[in-house]
């Protein structure tokens, strides 16, 4: 049985993804383009994805893994963010599977 707290988290994440996909539909045209930037967070690094000047995604932790663990290097955060940008640009959901994360971060 799903705990109520987990249900609210899943609904929130789904809503954010839907909003991101909706708001990002025009990012690949004109002056709006997708960009990724590494940010320093407590204990390591995360990434931001921008469409023009708007922040679409703030990801302070490694996605698709249990717990809240930041990236250990700037390069790992940037490479992961670039994959998310590529997915958005290609019209795919910005979610990453555990397998994709393991390919990007084999020494995690």
């Amino acid at each position: 049985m799903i705990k109520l707290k987990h249900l609210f988290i899943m609904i929130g994440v789904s809503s954010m993804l839907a909003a991101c996909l909706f708001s990002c539909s025009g990012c690949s045209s004109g002056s709006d383009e997708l960009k990724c930037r590494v940010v320093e967070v407590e204990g390591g690094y995360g990434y931001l994805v921008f469409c023009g000047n708007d922040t679409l995604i703030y990801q302070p932790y490694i996605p698709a893994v249990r717990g809240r663990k930041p990236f250990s290097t700037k390069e790992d955060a940037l490479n992961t963010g670039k994959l998310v940008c590529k997915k958005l640009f290609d019209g795919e959901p910005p979610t990453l599977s555990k397998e994709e994360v393991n390919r990007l971060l084999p020494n995690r």
Side-chain angles (χ1 to χ4, degrees):
M1 181 174 212
I2 297 177
K3 292 183 179 180
L4 191 57
K5 178 181 174 183
H6 293 132
L7 179 62
F8 285 125
I9 291 171
M10 290 185 330
I11 290 170
V13 169
S14 297
S15 297
M16 288 188 310
L17 290 176
C20 176
L21 288 175
F22 178 76
S23 67
C24 193
S25 61
C27 286
S28 61
S29 62
S31 62
D32 289 339
E33 58 184 54
L34 293 169
K35 295 179 185 173
C36 182
R37 180 177 301 152
V38 174
V39 292
E40 193 167 343
V41 297
E42 186 176 334
Y45 302 93
Y47 63 86
L48 292 163
V49 175
F50 295 94
C51 175
N53 293 325
D54 296 326
T55 302
L56 294 179
I57 298 172
Y58 169 62
Q59 184 66 47
Y61 308 111
I62 300 171
V65 297
R66 178 173 261 189
R68 294 182 174 194
K69 182 178 177 186
F71 294 91
S72 58
T73 68
K74 290 180 181 180
E75 183 178 4
D76 287 345
L78 183 60
N79 288 338
T80 305
K82 284 181 179 180
L83 177 58
V84 170
C85 281
K86 180 186 179 321
K87 285 184 162 208
L88 286 169
F89 185 80
D90 292 343
E92 298 176 32
T95 57
L96 296 178
S97 68
K98 193 171 189 176
E99 291 77 22
E100 289 172 313
V101 171
N102 287 338
R103 278 195 302 271
L104 287 167
L105 311 172
N107 297 323
R108 178 180 59 80

